[in-house]
Coordinates of all heavy atoms in Angstrom, one line a residue:
M1 N -7.9 -52.2 36.9 CA -8.7 -51.2 36.3 C -7.9 -49.9 36.0 O -8.3 -49.3 35.0 CB -9.8 -51.0 37.4 CG -10.8 -50.0 37.0 SD -11.9 -50.7 35.8 CE -13.2 -49.5 35.7
R2 N -7.0 -49.7 36.8 CA -6.1 -48.5 36.7 C -5.4 -48.5 35.3 O -5.4 -47.4 34.7 CB -5.2 -48.3 37.8 CG -4.6 -46.9 37.9 CD -3.8 -46.8 39.2 NE -3.3 -45.5 39.2 CZ -2.4 -45.0 40.1 NH1 -2.0 -45.9 41.0 NH2 -2.0 -43.8 40.1
R3 N -4.9 -49.6 35.0 CA -4.1 -49.8 33.7 C -5.0 -49.5 32.5 O -4.6 -49.0 31.5 CB -3.4 -51.0 33.6 CG -2.2 -51.1 34.5 CD -1.4 -52.3 34.3 NE -0.3 -52.4 35.2 CZ 0.5 -53.5 35.4 NH1 0.1 -54.6 34.7 NH2 1.4 -53.5 36.2
S4 N -6.2 -50.1 32.6 CA -7.0 -50.0 31.4 C -7.5 -48.5 31.2 O -7.6 -48.1 30.0 CB -8.3 -50.9 31.6 OG -9.0 -50.6 32.7
A5 N -7.7 -47.8 32.2 CA -8.1 -46.4 32.0 C -7.0 -45.6 31.5 O -7.2 -44.8 30.6 CB -8.5 -45.8 33.5
A6 N -5.7 -45.9 31.9 CA -4.6 -45.2 31.4 C -4.4 -45.5 29.9 O -4.0 -44.7 29.1 CB -3.4 -45.5 32.2
G7 N -4.6 -46.8 29.6 CA -4.4 -47.2 28.2 C -5.5 -46.6 27.3 O -5.3 -46.2 26.2
L8 N -6.8 -46.4 27.9 CA -7.8 -45.9 27.1 C -7.5 -44.4 26.9 O -7.8 -43.9 25.8 CB -9.2 -46.1 27.9 CG -10.5 -45.6 27.2 CD1 -10.6 -46.3 25.8 CD2 -11.6 -45.8 28.0
G9 N -7.0 -43.7 27.9 CA -6.7 -42.3 27.8 C -5.6 -42.1 26.8 O -5.7 -41.1 26.0
A10 N -4.6 -43.0 26.8 CA -3.6 -42.9 25.7 C -4.1 -43.1 24.4 O -3.7 -42.4 23.4 CB -2.4 -43.8 26.0
L11 N -5.0 -44.0 24.2 CA -5.6 -44.3 22.9 C -6.5 -43.2 22.3 O -6.4 -42.8 21.3 CB -6.5 -45.6 23.0 CG -7.1 -46.1 21.7 CD1 -6.1 -46.4 20.6 CD2 -8.0 -47.3 22.0
C12 N -7.2 -42.5 23.3 CA -8.1 -41.3 23.0 C -7.1 -40.3 22.6 O -7.4 -39.5 21.5 CB -8.9 -41.0 24.1 SG -10.2 -42.0 24.4
A13 N -6.0 -40.0 23.3 CA -5.1 -38.9 22.9 C -4.5 -39.2 21.5 O -4.3 -38.2 20.7 CB -4.0 -38.8 23.9
F14 N -4.0 -40.4 21.2 CA -3.5 -40.8 20.0 C -4.5 -40.6 18.8 O -4.1 -40.0 17.7 CB -3.1 -42.2 19.9 CG -2.5 -42.7 18.6 CD1 -1.3 -42.3 18.2 CD2 -3.3 -43.4 17.8 CE1 -0.8 -42.7 16.9 CE2 -2.8 -43.9 16.6 CZ -1.6 -43.5 16.1
A15 N -5.8 -40.8 19.1 CA -6.8 -40.7 18.0 C -7.0 -39.2 17.8 O -7.3 -38.8 16.6 CB -8.2 -41.4 18.5
L16 N -7.0 -38.4 18.8 CA -7.1 -36.9 18.7 C -6.0 -36.4 17.9 O -6.2 -35.5 17.0 CB -7.3 -36.3 20.0 CG -8.6 -36.5 20.7 CD1 -8.6 -35.7 22.1 CD2 -9.8 -35.8 19.9
I17 N -4.9 -36.7 18.2 CA -3.6 -36.2 17.5 C -3.7 -36.6 16.1 O -3.4 -35.9 15.1 CB -2.3 -36.7 18.2 CG1 -2.2 -36.0 19.5 CG2 -1.1 -36.4 17.4 CD1 -1.2 -36.6 20.4
S18 N -4.1 -37.9 15.7 CA -4.0 -38.5 14.4 C -5.1 -37.6 13.6 O -4.8 -37.2 12.4 CB -4.4 -39.9 14.4 OG -3.3 -40.6 15.1
S19 N -6.3 -37.4 14.2 CA -7.3 -36.8 13.3 C -6.9 -35.3 13.2 O -7.2 -34.7 12.1 CB -8.7 -36.8 14.1 OG -8.6 -36.1 15.4
A20 N -6.2 -34.7 14.1 CA -5.8 -33.3 13.8 C -4.8 -33.2 12.8 O -4.7 -32.3 12.0 CB -5.3 -32.7 15.2
A21 N -3.8 -34.2 12.7 CA -2.8 -34.2 11.7 C -3.5 -34.4 10.3 O -3.0 -33.8 9.4 CB -1.9 -35.4 12.0
L22 N -4.5 -35.2 10.2 CA -5.2 -35.5 9.0 C -5.9 -34.2 8.5 O -6.2 -34.0 7.3 CB -6.1 -36.7 9.1 CG -5.4 -38.1 9.3 CD1 -6.4 -39.1 9.5 CD2 -4.4 -38.3 8.1
A23 N -6.5 -33.5 9.5 CA -7.3 -32.2 9.1 C -6.4 -31.2 8.6 O -7.0 -30.2 7.9 CB -8.1 -31.9 10.3
V24 N -5.2 -31.2 8.9 CA -4.3 -30.0 8.5 C -4.2 -29.9 7.0 O -4.3 -28.9 6.4 CB -2.9 -30.1 9.1 CG1 -2.0 -29.2 8.5 CG2 -3.0 -29.9 10.6
G25 N -3.9 -31.0 6.4 CA -3.9 -31.0 4.9 C -3.3 -32.2 4.3 O -3.0 -33.2 5.1
D26 N -3.1 -32.4 3.0 CA -2.6 -33.6 2.5 C -1.1 -33.7 2.4 O -0.5 -34.6 2.0 CB -3.3 -33.9 1.2 CG -3.1 -32.8 0.2 OD1 -2.1 -31.8 0.5 OD2 -3.4 -32.9 -1.0
G27 N -0.5 -32.6 2.7 CA 1.1 -32.5 2.8 C 1.6 -32.2 1.3 O 2.8 -32.0 1.2
E28 N 0.7 -32.2 0.3 CA 1.3 -31.9 -1.1 C 0.9 -30.5 -1.5 O 1.6 -29.8 -2.2 CB 0.6 -32.8 -2.1 CG 1.2 -34.3 -1.8 CD 0.6 -35.3 -2.9 OE1 0.0 -34.8 -3.9 OE2 0.8 -36.4 -2.6
S29 N -0.3 -30.0 -1.0 CA -0.8 -28.6 -1.4 C -0.2 -27.7 -0.4 O -0.1 -27.9 0.8 CB -2.3 -28.5 -1.5 OG -2.8 -28.9 -0.3
P30 N 0.3 -26.5 -0.9 CA 0.9 -25.4 0.0 C -0.2 -25.0 0.9 O -1.5 -24.9 0.6 CB 1.4 -24.5 -0.9 CG 0.7 -24.5 -2.2 CD 0.3 -26.1 -2.2
A31 N 0.3 -24.5 2.0 CA -0.7 -24.0 3.1 C -1.0 -22.6 2.7 O -0.2 -21.8 2.2 CB 0.0 -23.9 4.5
R32 N -2.3 -22.1 3.0 CA -2.6 -20.8 2.6 C -2.2 -19.8 3.6 O -2.4 -20.1 4.8 CB -4.2 -20.8 2.4 CG -4.7 -21.5 1.3 CD -6.1 -21.3 1.1 NE -6.8 -22.2 0.2 CZ -8.0 -22.2 -0.1 NH1 -8.9 -21.4 0.5 NH2 -8.5 -23.0 -1.0
A33 N -1.7 -18.7 3.2 CA -1.5 -17.7 4.2 C -2.8 -17.0 4.5 O -3.7 -16.9 3.8 CB -0.6 -16.6 3.4
P34 N -2.9 -16.6 5.7 CA -4.2 -15.9 6.1 C -4.4 -14.6 5.4 O -3.3 -13.9 5.0 CB -4.0 -15.6 7.7 CG -2.5 -15.7 7.9 CD -1.9 -16.7 6.8
G35 N -5.5 -14.3 5.0 CA -5.9 -13.1 4.2 C -5.5 -11.8 5.0 O -5.5 -11.7 6.1
Q36 N -5.1 -10.9 4.2 CA -4.8 -9.5 4.8 C -6.0 -8.8 5.3 O -7.1 -8.8 4.6 CB -4.0 -8.6 3.9 CG -3.5 -7.4 4.5 CD -2.5 -6.7 3.5 OE1 -2.1 -7.3 2.4 NE2 -2.2 -5.6 3.9
V37 N -6.0 -8.4 6.5 CA -7.2 -7.6 7.1 C -7.1 -6.1 6.8 O -6.0 -5.5 7.1 CB -7.2 -7.9 8.6 CG1 -8.4 -7.1 9.2 CG2 -7.4 -9.3 8.8
E38 N -8.2 -5.5 6.3 CA -8.3 -4.1 6.1 C -9.5 -3.6 6.9 O -10.5 -4.4 6.9 CB -8.3 -3.7 4.7 CG -7.0 -3.9 3.9 CD -7.2 -3.3 2.5 OE1 -8.3 -2.9 2.1 OE2 -6.1 -3.2 1.8
K39 N -9.4 -2.4 7.3 CA -10.5 -1.8 8.0 C -10.4 -0.3 7.8 O -9.4 0.3 7.8 CB -10.5 -2.0 9.6 CG -11.8 -1.4 10.2 CD -11.8 -1.9 11.7 CE -13.2 -1.4 12.3 NZ -13.3 -1.8 13.6
T40 N -11.6 0.3 7.4 CA -11.7 1.7 7.0 C -12.3 2.5 8.2 O -13.4 2.1 8.7 CB -12.4 1.9 5.8 OG1 -11.8 1.2 4.7 CG2 -12.5 3.5 5.4
F41 N -11.6 3.5 8.6 CA -12.2 4.4 9.8 C -12.6 5.8 9.1 O -11.9 6.3 8.2 CB -11.1 4.6 10.8 CG -10.7 3.4 11.5 CD1 -9.6 2.6 11.0 CD2 -11.3 2.9 12.6 CE1 -9.1 1.5 11.7 CE2 -10.9 1.8 13.2 CZ -9.9 1.0 12.7
L42 N -13.7 6.3 9.6 CA -14.1 7.6 9.2 C -14.0 8.5 10.4 O -14.6 8.2 11.5 CB -15.6 7.6 8.8 CG -15.9 6.9 7.5 CD1 -17.4 6.8 7.2 CD2 -15.1 7.4 6.4
I43 N -13.2 9.6 10.2 CA -12.9 10.5 11.4 C -13.5 11.9 11.0 O -13.3 12.4 9.9 CB -11.4 10.6 11.6 CG1 -10.8 9.2 11.7 CG2 -11.0 11.6 12.8 CD1 -9.3 9.2 11.5
P44 N -14.2 12.5 12.0 CA -14.7 13.8 11.7 C -13.5 14.8 11.3 O -12.4 14.7 11.9 CB -15.3 14.3 13.0 CG -15.6 13.1 13.8 CD -14.6 12.1 13.2
A45 N -13.7 15.7 10.3 CA -12.6 16.5 9.8 C -12.2 17.5 10.8 O -11.0 17.9 10.9 CB -13.2 17.3 8.5
A46 N -13.1 18.0 11.7 CA -12.9 18.9 12.7 C -12.8 18.2 14.1 O -13.5 18.5 15.1 CB -13.8 20.0 12.8
E47 N -11.9 17.1 14.2 CA -11.8 16.4 15.4 C -11.1 17.1 16.6 O -11.2 16.6 17.7 CB -11.2 14.9 15.1 CG -9.7 14.9 15.2 CD -9.0 15.6 14.0 OE1 -9.5 15.9 13.0 OE2 -7.8 16.0 14.2
G48 N -10.4 18.2 16.2 CA -9.8 18.9 17.3 C -8.3 18.7 17.5 O -7.7 19.3 18.3
Y49 N -7.8 17.9 16.8 CA -6.4 17.6 16.8 C -5.5 18.3 15.9 O -4.3 18.5 16.0 CB -6.1 16.1 16.7 CG -6.5 15.2 17.8 CD1 -7.7 14.4 17.5 CD2 -6.0 15.3 19.1 CE1 -8.3 13.7 18.6 CE2 -6.5 14.6 20.1 CZ -7.6 13.6 19.8 OH -8.2 12.9 20.8
G50 N -6.1 19.1 15.0 CA -5.4 19.8 14.0 C -4.6 19.1 12.9 O -3.8 19.6 12.3
V51 N -5.0 17.8 12.7 CA -4.3 16.9 11.7 C -5.3 16.8 10.4 O -4.9 16.2 9.5 CB -4.0 15.6 12.2 CG1 -2.9 15.9 13.3 CG2 -5.1 14.8 12.7
G52 N -6.3 17.4 10.4 CA -7.3 17.3 9.2 C -6.7 17.7 7.9 O -6.9 17.1 6.8
E53 N -5.9 18.7 7.9 CA -5.3 19.3 6.7 C -4.3 18.3 6.2 O -4.2 18.2 5.0 CB -4.6 20.6 7.0 CG -5.6 21.8 7.3 CD -6.1 21.7 8.9 OE1 -5.3 21.2 9.7 OE2 -7.0 22.3 9.2
C54 N -3.6 17.6 7.0 CA -2.6 16.7 6.5 C -3.3 15.4 5.9 O -2.9 14.9 4.9 CB -1.8 16.2 7.8 SG -0.5 17.3 8.3
L55 N -4.3 15.0 6.5 CA -5.0 13.8 6.1 C -5.9 14.1 4.9 O -6.1 13.1 4.0 CB -5.9 13.2 7.2 CG -5.1 12.7 8.3 CD1 -6.0 12.3 9.5 CD2 -4.3 11.4 7.9
A56 N -6.5 15.3 4.7 CA -7.4 15.5 3.7 C -6.7 15.6 2.3 O -7.4 15.4 1.3 CB -8.1 16.9 3.9
A57 N -5.3 15.9 2.3 CA -4.6 15.9 1.0 C -4.6 14.5 0.3 O -4.5 14.5 -0.9 CB -3.2 16.4 1.3
G58 N -4.7 13.4 1.1 CA -4.6 12.1 0.5 C -3.2 11.7 0.1 O -3.0 10.5 -0.4
S59 N -2.2 12.5 0.3 CA -0.8 12.1 0.0 C 0.1 13.1 0.8 O -0.4 14.0 1.4 CB -0.5 12.2 -1.5 OG -0.6 13.6 -1.9
G60 N 1.3 12.7 0.8 CA 2.4 13.6 1.4 C 2.9 12.9 2.7 O 2.2 12.0 3.3
S61 N 4.0 13.5 3.2 CA 4.6 12.7 4.3 C 3.9 13.0 5.6 O 3.8 12.2 6.5 CB 6.1 13.2 4.5 OG 6.2 14.6 4.5
C62 N 3.4 14.2 5.8 CA 2.6 14.6 7.0 C 1.4 13.7 7.1 O 1.1 13.1 8.2 CB 2.1 16.1 6.9 SG 0.9 16.6 8.1
G63 N 0.6 13.5 6.2 CA -0.5 12.7 6.1 C -0.2 11.3 6.4 O -0.9 10.5 7.1
Q64 N 0.8 10.7 5.8 CA 1.1 9.2 5.9 C 1.6 9.0 7.4 O 1.2 8.0 8.0 CB 2.3 8.9 4.9 CG 2.7 7.5 4.9 CD 1.5 6.6 4.4 OE1 1.0 6.9 3.3 NE2 1.1 5.6 5.1
V65 N 2.3 10.0 8.0 CA 2.8 9.8 9.3 C 1.6 9.7 10.2 O 1.5 8.9 11.2 CB 3.8 10.9 9.8 CG1 4.0 10.8 11.3 CG2 5.1 10.8 9.0
V66 N 0.7 10.6 10.1 CA -0.5 10.8 10.9 C -1.4 9.5 10.7 O -1.9 8.9 11.6 CB -1.3 12.0 10.7 CG1 -2.6 12.0 11.4 CG2 -0.5 13.2 11.1
A67 N -1.6 9.1 9.5 CA -2.5 8.0 9.2 C -1.8 6.7 9.7 O -2.6 5.8 10.4 CB -2.7 7.8 7.7
D68 N -0.5 6.6 9.7 CA 0.1 5.3 10.1 C 0.0 5.4 11.7 O -0.3 4.3 12.3 CB 1.6 5.4 9.8 CG 1.9 4.8 8.4 OD1 0.9 4.4 7.7 OD2 3.0 5.1 7.8
A69 N 0.1 6.5 12.3 CA 0.0 6.5 13.8 C -1.4 6.2 14.2 O -1.6 5.5 15.2 CB 0.4 8.0 14.3
W70 N -2.4 6.7 13.4 CA -3.8 6.4 13.7 C -4.1 4.8 13.6 O -4.6 4.1 14.6 CB -4.7 7.1 12.8 CG -6.1 6.6 12.9 CD1 -6.9 5.6 12.3 CD2 -7.0 7.1 13.9 NE1 -8.1 5.5 12.7 CE2 -8.3 6.5 13.8 CE3 -6.9 8.2 14.9 CZ2 -9.5 6.7 14.5 CZ3 -8.1 8.4 15.6 CH2 -9.4 7.7 15.4
C71 N -3.5 4.2 12.6 CA -3.6 2.8 12.4 C -3.0 2.0 13.5 O -3.5 1.0 13.9 CB -3.2 2.4 10.9 SG -4.2 3.0 9.6
E72 N -1.8 2.4 13.8 CA -1.1 1.7 14.9 C -1.8 1.8 16.2 O -1.9 0.8 17.0 CB 0.3 2.3 15.1 CG 1.3 1.9 13.9 CD 2.6 2.6 14.0 OE1 3.1 3.2 15.1 OE2 3.3 2.5 13.0
A73 N -2.4 2.9 16.6 CA -3.2 3.1 17.7 C -4.5 2.2 17.7 O -4.9 1.9 18.7 CB -3.7 4.5 17.8
Q74 N -4.9 1.8 16.5 CA -6.2 1.0 16.4 C -5.6 -0.5 16.3 O -6.5 -1.4 16.1 CB -6.9 1.3 15.1 CG -7.3 2.7 15.2 CD -8.1 3.1 16.4 OE1 -8.9 2.4 16.9 NE2 -7.8 4.4 16.8
G75 N -4.3 -0.8 16.4 CA -3.9 -2.2 16.3 C -3.5 -2.8 14.9 O -3.4 -4.0 14.8
F76 N -3.3 -1.9 13.9 CA -3.0 -2.2 12.6 C -1.5 -1.9 12.4 O -0.9 -1.1 13.1 CB -4.0 -1.6 11.6 CG -5.4 -2.2 11.6 CD1 -6.3 -1.7 12.5 CD2 -5.6 -3.3 10.9 CE1 -7.5 -2.3 12.5 CE2 -6.9 -3.8 10.8 CZ -7.8 -3.3 11.6
A77 N -0.9 -2.4 11.3 CA 0.4 -2.2 11.0 C 0.6 -0.8 10.3 O 1.4 0.0 10.8 CB 1.0 -3.3 10.1
V78 N 0.0 -0.5 9.3 CA 0.2 0.7 8.5 C -1.1 1.2 7.8 O -2.1 0.4 7.8 CB 1.1 0.6 7.3 CG1 2.5 0.2 7.8 CG2 0.7 -0.5 6.3
A79 N -1.1 2.5 7.4 CA -2.3 2.9 6.6 C -2.1 2.6 5.1 O -1.1 2.9 4.5 CB -2.4 4.5 6.8
G80 N -3.1 1.9 4.5 CA -3.0 1.8 3.1 C -3.4 3.0 2.3 O -2.8 3.3 1.2
S81 N -4.4 3.8 2.7 CA -4.8 4.9 2.0 C -5.5 5.8 3.0 O -6.0 5.4 4.1 CB -5.7 4.6 0.9 OG -6.9 4.0 1.3
F82 N -5.7 7.1 2.6 CA -6.3 8.1 3.4 C -6.7 9.3 2.6 O -6.2 9.4 1.5 CB -5.5 8.6 4.7 CG -4.1 9.1 4.2 CD1 -4.0 10.6 4.0 CD2 -3.1 8.4 4.0 CE1 -2.8 11.0 3.6 CE2 -1.8 9.0 3.6 CZ -1.7 10.3 3.5
G83 N -7.6 10.1 3.0 CA -8.1 11.2 2.4 C -9.6 11.6 2.7 O -10.0 11.1 3.7
I84 N -10.2 12.6 2.0 CA -11.5 12.9 2.4 C -12.4 11.7 1.8 O -12.2 11.3 0.6 CB -11.8 14.2 1.6 CG1 -10.9 15.3 2.2 CG2 -13.3 14.5 1.8 CD1 -11.1 16.6 1.6
A85 N -13.4 11.4 2.7 CA -14.3 10.3 2.3 C -15.2 10.7 1.2 O -15.7 11.9 1.1 CB -15.1 9.8 3.5
A86 N -15.5 9.8 0.2 CA -16.5 10.1 -0.8 C -17.8 10.2 -0.3 O -18.1 9.6 0.8 CB -16.4 9.0 -1.8
A87 N -18.8 10.9 -0.9 CA -20.1 11.0 -0.3 C -20.9 9.8 0.0 O -21.7 9.8 0.8 CB -20.9 12.0 -1.3
D88 N -20.5 8.8 -0.8 CA -21.2 7.6 -0.6 C -20.6 6.6 0.5 O -21.1 5.6 0.7 CB -21.4 6.8 -1.9 CG -20.0 6.3 -2.5 OD1 -19.0 6.8 -2.1 OD2 -20.0 5.5 -3.4
E89 N -19.6 7.1 1.2 CA -18.9 6.3 2.2 C -19.5 6.6 3.6 O -19.0 6.0 4.5 CB -17.5 6.6 2.1 CG -16.8 5.9 0.9 CD -15.3 6.2 0.9 OE1 -14.8 7.3 1.2 OE2 -14.6 5.3 0.5
Y90 N -20.4 7.6 3.7 CA -20.8 7.9 5.1 C -22.2 8.3 5.1 O -22.9 8.7 4.1 CB -19.9 9.0 5.8 CG -20.0 10.3 4.9 CD1 -20.9 11.4 5.3 CD2 -19.0 10.6 4.0 CE1 -20.9 12.5 4.6 CE2 -19.0 11.8 3.2 CZ -19.9 12.8 3.6 OH -20.0 13.9 2.8
T91 N -22.8 8.1 6.3 CA -24.3 8.4 6.5 C -24.5 9.9 6.4 O -23.7 10.7 6.9 CB -24.8 7.8 7.8 OG1 -24.4 6.4 7.9 CG2 -26.2 8.1 8.1
G92 N -25.6 10.3 5.9 CA -25.9 11.7 5.7 C -25.5 12.3 4.5 O -25.4 13.6 4.4
A93 N -24.9 11.6 3.6 CA -24.4 12.1 2.4 C -25.4 12.5 1.4 O -25.2 13.4 0.5 CB -23.4 11.1 1.7
I94 N -26.7 11.9 1.5 CA -27.7 12.3 0.6 C -28.4 13.6 1.0 O -28.8 13.7 2.2 CB -28.7 11.1 0.6 CG1 -28.0 9.9 0.0 CG2 -29.9 11.4 -0.3 CD1 -28.9 8.6 0.1
E95 N -28.5 14.5 0.1 CA -29.1 15.8 0.4 C -30.6 15.6 0.8 O -31.3 14.8 0.1 CB -29.0 16.7 -0.7 CG -27.5 17.3 -0.9 CD -27.5 18.3 -1.9 OE1 -28.3 19.2 -1.9 OE2 -26.4 18.4 -2.5
Q96 N -31.1 16.2 1.8 CA -32.4 16.1 2.2 C -33.1 17.5 2.1 O -32.4 18.5 2.0 CB -32.5 15.8 3.7 CG -31.9 14.4 3.9 CD -31.9 14.0 5.4 OE1 -32.2 14.8 6.2 NE2 -31.5 12.8 5.7
V97 N -34.3 17.5 2.0 CA -35.1 18.9 1.9 C -35.8 19.0 3.2 O -36.5 18.2 3.6 CB -36.0 18.8 0.6 CG1 -36.8 20.1 0.6 CG2 -35.4 18.5 -0.6
P98 N -35.6 20.1 3.9 CA -34.8 21.2 3.7 C -33.3 20.8 4.0 O -33.1 19.9 4.7 CB -35.2 22.4 4.6 CG -35.8 21.6 5.7 CD -36.4 20.3 5.1
A99 N -32.4 21.4 3.2 CA -31.0 21.2 3.3 C -30.4 21.5 4.8 O -30.8 22.6 5.3 CB -30.2 22.0 2.3
A100 N -29.8 20.5 5.3 CA -29.2 20.8 6.6 C -28.0 21.7 6.4 O -27.5 21.9 5.5 CB -28.7 19.4 7.2
K101 N -27.4 22.1 7.7 CA -26.2 23.1 7.6 C -25.1 22.3 6.9 O -25.1 21.0 7.0 CB -25.9 23.4 9.0 CG -25.5 22.3 9.9 CD -25.1 22.8 11.2 CE -24.5 21.7 12.1 NZ -24.0 22.1 13.3
T102 N -24.2 22.9 6.4 CA -23.0 22.5 5.7 C -22.1 21.8 6.6 O -21.6 22.5 7.6 CB -22.4 23.5 4.9 OG1 -23.2 24.1 3.9 CG2 -21.2 22.9 4.0
V103 N -21.8 20.6 6.4 CA -20.9 19.9 7.3 C -19.7 19.3 6.5 O -19.8 18.9 5.4 CB -21.5 18.7 8.0 CG1 -20.5 17.9 8.9 CG2 -22.7 19.2 8.8
E104 N -18.5 19.5 7.0 CA -17.3 19.0 6.2 C -17.4 17.5 6.2 O -17.7 16.8 7.2 CB -16.0 19.3 6.9 CG -15.7 20.8 6.8 CD -14.3 21.0 7.6 OE1 -13.3 20.5 7.1 OE2 -14.3 21.8 8.5
P105 N -17.1 16.8 5.1 CA -17.0 15.4 4.9 C -15.9 14.8 5.8 O -14.9 15.5 6.0 CB -16.8 15.1 3.5 CG -16.2 16.4 2.9 CD -16.6 17.5 3.7
P106 N -16.2 13.7 6.4 CA -15.1 13.1 7.3 C -14.0 12.5 6.4 O -14.0 12.6 5.2 CB -16.0 11.8 7.9 CG -16.9 11.5 6.9 CD -17.5 12.8 6.3
I107 N -13.0 12.4 7.2 CA -11.7 11.9 6.6 C -11.6 10.3 6.7 O -12.1 9.7 7.8 CB -10.5 12.5 7.3 CG1 -10.5 14.0 7.1 CG2 -9.2 11.9 6.9 CD1 -9.5 14.7 8.0
R108 N -11.2 9.6 5.7 CA -11.1 8.3 5.6 C -9.7 7.7 5.7 O -8.9 8.2 5.1 CB -11.7 7.7 4.3 CG -11.6 6.3 4.0 CD -11.8 6.0 2.5 NE -11.3 7.0 1.5 CZ -10.0 7.0 1.2 NH1 -9.2 6.2 1.6 NH2 -9.7 7.9 0.3
I109 N -9.5 6.8 6.6 CA -8.2 6.1 6.7 C -8.4 4.6 6.7 O -9.2 4.0 7.4 CB -7.5 6.4 8.0 CG1 -7.3 7.9 8.2 CG2 -6.1 5.6 8.2 CD1 -6.7 8.3 9.6
T110 N -7.8 4.0 5.7 CA -7.9 2.5 5.5 C -6.6 1.9 6.1 O -5.6 2.2 5.6 CB -8.1 2.2 4.0 OG1 -9.4 2.7 3.7 CG2 -8.2 0.6 3.9
C111 N -6.8 1.1 7.1 CA -5.7 0.5 7.8 C -5.5 -0.9 7.4 O -6.5 -1.6 7.0 CB -5.8 0.6 9.3 SG -5.9 2.2 9.9
K112 N -4.4 -1.5 7.4 CA -4.1 -2.9 7.0 C -3.0 -3.5 7.8 O -2.2 -2.7 8.4 CB -3.9 -3.1 5.5 CG -2.6 -2.4 5.0 CD -2.6 -2.5 3.5 CE -1.4 -1.7 3.0 NZ -1.3 -1.8 1.5
D113 N -3.0 -4.9 7.9 CA -2.0 -5.6 8.7 C -0.8 -5.7 7.9 O -0.7 -5.7 6.7 CB -2.5 -6.9 9.1 CG -3.4 -6.8 10.3 OD1 -3.4 -5.9 11.1 OD2 -4.1 -7.8 10.4

């Protein structure tokens, strides 16, 4: 009985390995690279760190360094783009009657792997 259980276990393991190998691909078509992940963060312009001026410009070495550091802190490799967020990119962008107090638009940083 012990040998038949071991043989059955080996047979099951072989079947699992074979089916996994067949599921990978046909061996002729190239494997697809995983898609690049991007995520956009909206940061209040007056967050208190004093880097809003660097990021608001949308270009320059100061902003790129700060945006890259932000992305690295969030687990991404680099910042793809940064700058002031467009009005349609954040909640509260549509004017309401009566008009609310003026608020600076947030800063947008798009991070990617």
Side-chain angles (χ1 to χ4, degrees):
M1 181 78 173
R2 189 173 186 190
R3 285 186 183 168
S4 63
L8 183 59
L11 183 60
C12 288
F14 178 75
L16 286 174
I17 292 170
S18 298
S19 64
L22 291 175
V24 170
D26 60 3
E28 293 181 17
S29 58
R32 291 186 191 177
Q36 188 168 354
V37 178
E38 286 189 353
K39 186 170 182 179
T40 300
F41 297 92
L42 295 176
I43 306 163
E47 86 292 339
Y49 294 106
V51 296
E53 294 80 21
C54 286
L55 293 170
S59 64
S61 61
C62 170
Q64 188 65 50
V65 169
V66 171
D68 285 343
W70 175 268
C71 291
E72 288 175 16
Q74 305 304 317
F76 290 88
V78 294
S81 64
F82 59 93
I84 296 177
D88 62 347
E89 292 181 318
Y90 58 94
T91 304
I94 300 172
E95 290 187 33
Q96 299 175 354
V97 177
K101 66 178 184 173
T102 305
V103 178
E104 289 184 61
I107 296 170
R108 171 195 41 81
I109 300 177
T110 301
C111 302
K112 59 185 178 179
D113 284 340

